[in-house]
Amino acid sequence: MNADSITTEQMNDELRQQLIDTRDRLLRELAEGAQRRQAESGFPVHTGDVPDAGDTSVATEQADIRNAQISRDAMELRQVEAALARLDGGTYGYCMDCGQDIPLARLRAASAAERCILCQSARERQYADTGPLAVARRV
Ligand SMILES: [Zn+2]
């Protein structure tokens, strides 16, 4: 569909639905992560009764990966909730740095985007943010 042929209302409905779906997925992932962590703290799967250094480091590494995943999800969730608040407040879809419209194609690919691609790239150069989220934000 041509971006110009749909109304702002239709666009907002579509993006709101997308944001809500993302929020639900993140909430589910966070709940599952918390559950797994709880289960594992009660029943150590990767370490025996007398863990050797290798076992412990594998378990630690897996916990680190999971913790990184959880904090990434939590951060994304905050961005999604902020985007939903902007939708309700009527400020959604504008770049928070330069105030220009964020193109619909970008919003469809990254519905929680806070900046246009130019400002986002400038910001990432400034902060040298090379994490996985930075890649997603470059859409
Ligand atoms: Zn901008």
Side-chain angles (χ1 to χ4, degrees):
M1 194 192 285
N2 189 315
D4 297 330
S5 70
I6 65 169
T7 65
T8 307
E9 204 175 319
Q10 283 172 325
M11 184 182 90
N12 283 352
D13 281 351
E14 177 192 322
L15 292 166
R16 183 191 300 275
Q17 193 52 53
Q18 202 173 317
L19 285 163
I20 289 170
D21 288 348
T22 308
R23 185 180 62 182
D24 288 350
R25 176 180 58 80
L26 290 168
L27 286 171
R28 214 164 40 235
E29 280 179 15
L30 285 166
E32 282 167 10
Q35 234 165 33
R36 260 201 310 274
R37 199 150 54 165
Q38 203 172 28
E40 279 167 20
S41 63
F43 305 95
V45 180
H46 303 292
T47 57
D49 288 333
V50 189
D52 66 33
D55 285 347
T56 311
S57 81
V58 167
T60 306
E61 203 172 301
Q62 284 172 343
D64 282 351
I65 292 168
R66 206 159 34 242
N67 288 339
Q69 175 73 47
I70 287 169
S71 53
R72 237 185 350 255
D73 283 351
M75 193 169 125
E76 201 183 337
L77 181 62
R78 275 197 299 274
Q79 288 173 341
V80 167
E81 283 181 337
L84 281 167
R86 289 199 301 277
L87 255 177
D88 288 336
T91 59
Y92 179 78
Y94 301 104
C95 174
M96 64 187 294
D97 284 355
C98 70
Q100 296 291 311
D101 287 355
I102 300 173
L104 181 58
R106 172 162 165 76
L107 289 174
R108 277 183 166 145
S111 44
E114 293 174 330
R115 292 176 183 81
C116 71
I117 193 79
L118 284 177
C119 293
Q120 187 65 49
S121 318
R123 193 179 158 84
E124 274 161 23
R125 272 197 303 278
Q126 193 179 351
Y127 291 95
D129 183 356
T130 53
L133 266 176
V135 175
R137 281 193 226 104
R138 257 174 230 128
V139 176

